[in-house]
Amino acid sequence: MILTTLVDGVRSTVELERGNYLIGRGESCKVRLNFPDVSERHAILSVTDEKVVIEDLRSANGTYVNSEEIDSPTVLDGTMVVQIGQSLLRVSKPEDSTLYKSHDDEEPQELDSIEEEIEEDAPTEEDPLVELRADVQAQIQKELLKRVDMKRLTLAGVDAEGLEETARQKIHQIIEEVVANNRLPDGIDPYRLEEDVFNEALRLGPLEELLADDTVSEIMVNGPDRVFIERNGKLVLSDCRFTDEQSVLSVIERIVSPLGRRIDESQPYVDARLKDGSRVNAIIAPLALSGPTITIRKFSKKALGVADFIRFGTWTANAAEFMRLCVLLRKNIIVAGGTGSGKTTLLNLLSGFIPRNERIVTVEDAAELRLQQPHVVRLEARPPNIEGKGAVTIRDLVKNCLRMRPDRIIVGECRGGEALDMLQAMNTGHDGSLTTIHANSPRDVISRLETMVLMSGMELPSRAIREQIASAVDIIIHESRLADGSRKVVAITEVTGLEGNQIVTQDIFTFEQKGVAADGKIIGQFRPTGAIPTWFDQLKGRGLDCDVRMFDPDSDVDVKVTDRRGG
């Protein structure tokens, strides 16, 4: 077989013998493409006497065959062009190796003219290598269980690091024996196989590579053979696969067991978290008809700061400074938005404005907030045990934390009767509290709060509920995920009070969408409305100074808040 490549207009050819050829920018790759858009281990090319197979190794930017991204091993023929980054490759028999020759001379063709020759609907064959690899992996896992008794080692006091080291050594030994006895089928990479078996045995199986990929923000397992990911705000089908439903169930069990949670037919869904704080929801049969389903919301390894939000276009420097001012003034703040809009990330950022000398109590379903202050008490709700008893709800914890002398209360999310207790806390001296709510607009936050107060079981008149809300809530921040996948703060709204039977609000900052660019990006501007907060004239009495130009829509001055209180 002949491998012909076209890189930056330069054509080169090399003869391929039977074997596996790793493609990427890493030094260990046999076909090295040293470009930023190529992963260290991007793809693998398997050559036998009968066929050539290309497989993407879960790369960041994908591997394309005839302009279509592949999500499984694909058999190549001499008519197919592989694109990796800006490099084009074709594998052909020696007599067909005329790729990239122009009609007039021997010079390489331009990239555009090559793409025009690609047949858009070129068929790909179903590769039996996928099933074969799964069978080999299952056999090695069985052999590993015979040689290593994980349960006995755990009872003997071997820690997680020791278990992993023992397992890795045994897996390496087993695969070396298989290779030495010529029992490893052609086309299967022993290094990739070793890593897959290890992840399946002790970690989260095929999800490990997705969790390590910083470009992936969300992972959605819809059964063993359909794993979707969110990358740059867009959903795509990944090439990640589980061997069967039991493999998915094993991964779920590894996630929930260390947290004291359970999942079975009597409790077929669970919320949990990973070691890095990533949020996990799992649901199984009989409720999940398409197979065990896992949803993982990943969190950035690096906590995002104000500068990151400004760089991403989430808000402006003046909006960030205004929110710092609100936190310093101990205003009660609600962060609202839809699912996946970034509420928790924004709540985490706002909590960073809280002075370090204050005592903070956080209440969450699954502990996700990562506060940097030294005096933080974290409380986490508890689900019922196997007898259906022992549950501790968010509402129970909110009531309890009032007795813990908090300077600030942060509730991860209000979604039920705890909203009443939160409002009462805000109205009885625990100002400066923060929480999130699912809502579609700042006005919708008000009606959602009314509904959740009624869910508490207290039969309060509508007027009394609205008085509580108007007195307790000072600022509503509404965040949204736009059509291009970007997450933006679209409104910062002040609750000014109650007039008649209606709660009155005014927008301080809003996002104005002006159009859509050719690449689909939303064009718009986040700017002040010109409205000044009703409490602005109280700043000097509180020891704070702020330039009123912060609220001028025509001003381009970045205003800084001066805190003269010290401490």
Side-chain angles (χ1 to χ4, degrees), residues 228-253:
F228 288 84
I229 60 174
E230 182 187 270
R231 181 179 278 131
N232 300 323
K234 300 292 185 180
L235 289 181
V236 295
L237 178 65
S238 78
D239 61 356
C240 175
R241 298 288 185 275
F242 289 84
T243 52
D244 52 30
E245 290 193 359
Q246 186 56 48
S247 176
V248 185
L249 290 170
S250 298
V251 166
I252 296 173
E253 194 63 36

Side-chain angles (χ1 to χ4, degrees), residues 24-303:
R25 60 184 169 90
E27 294 184 0
S28 62
C29 296
K30 293 182 180 179
V31 180
R32 195 172 180 206
L33 304 173
N34 194 15
F35 298 99
D37 53 356
V38 178
S39 300
E40 288 283 333
R41 290 163 51 95
H42 196 106
I44 187 168
L45 196 67
S46 302
V47 180
T48 66
D49 291 336
E50 295 80 19
K51 62 185 176 182
V52 179
V53 177
I54 184 82
E55 180 181 1
D56 185 79
L57 297 180
R58 298 165 191 164
S59 62
N61 295 312
T63 299
Y64 294 79
V65 174
N66 286 3
S67 299
E68 295 289 335
E69 185 173 9
I70 61 172
D71 56 12
S72 61
T74 302
V75 178
L76 302 177
D77 60 38
T79 67
M80 295 180 179
V81 176
V82 178
Q83 181 179 350
I84 295 178
Q86 295 302 313
S87 307
L88 297 179
L89 306 90
R90 178 183 283 172
V91 179
S92 57
K93 295 178 181 178
E95 60 269 21
D96 298 328
S97 59
T98 55
L99 176 65
Y100 312 137
K101 288 184 180 179
S102 66
H103 299 296
D104 301 322
D105 49 36
E106 296 299 315
E107 293 300 316
Q109 291 180 330
E110 294 296 324
L111 183 63
D112 291 342
S113 62
I114 293 170
E115 290 178 341
E116 289 174 3
E117 294 179 2
I118 297 174
E119 295 180 11
E120 294 183 356
D121 299 320
T124 57
E125 301 175 22
E126 191 66 30
D127 184 19
L129 194 62
V130 175
E131 187 175 346
L132 180 60
R133 185 190 291 109
D135 290 341
V136 171
Q137 184 175 329
Q139 292 174 27
I140 293 174
Q141 286 166 347
K142 288 179 182 178
E143 184 63 25
L144 176 65
L145 292 174
K146 291 180 184 177
R147 299 191 187 188
V148 182
D149 189 338
M150 299 290 184
K151 190 172 182 179
R152 182 181 60 79
L153 290 174
T154 303
L155 293 174
V158 178
D159 59 12
E161 189 175 334
L163 280 174
E164 289 188 0
E165 183 62 29
T166 301
R168 196 174 280 282
Q169 290 175 358
K170 290 296 182 183
I171 294 168
H172 185 72
Q173 178 185 338
I174 294 169
I175 292 179
E176 278 192 332
E177 292 173 7
V178 172
V179 172
N181 294 327
N182 292 321
R183 293 169 53 199
L184 188 66
D186 291 334
I188 297 180
D189 180 5
Y191 304 106
R192 167 81 177 273
L193 181 63
E194 181 178 328
E195 196 65 25
D196 287 347
V197 173
F198 176 76
N199 288 336
E200 187 77 29
L202 284 177
R203 293 187 177 171
L204 302 184
L207 298 183
E208 283 294 331
E209 288 193 35
L210 296 179
L211 290 169
D213 187 346
D214 292 337
T215 66
V216 175
S217 57
E218 197 146 3
I219 303 169
M220 291 143 279
V221 180
N222 300 352
D225 56 353
R226 292 183 67 79
V227 179
F228 288 84
I229 60 174
E230 182 187 270
R231 181 179 278 131
N232 300 323
K234 300 292 185 180
L235 289 181
V236 295
L237 178 65
S238 78
D239 61 356
C240 175
R241 298 288 185 275
F242 289 84
T243 52
D244 52 30
E245 290 193 359
Q246 186 56 48
S247 176
V248 185
L249 290 170
S250 298
V251 166
I252 296 173
E253 194 63 36
R254 286 193 203 104
I255 293 172
V256 303
S257 293
L259 302 176
R261 306 286 174 94
R262 65 185 180 88
I263 187 165
D264 49 39
E265 285 192 6
S266 62
Q267 179 66 43
Y269 57 89
V270 67
D271 288 316
R273 67 181 186 278
L274 302 180
K275 290 180 181 178
D276 64 357
S278 297
R279 181 194 311 165
V280 182
N281 174 271
I283 184 166
I284 63 173
L287 302 186
L289 304 182
S290 58
T293 302
I294 308 173
T295 307
I296 301 176
R297 175 79 54 80
K298 288 176 60 181
F299 290 107
S300 173
K301 294 181 175 65
K302 170 182 172 290

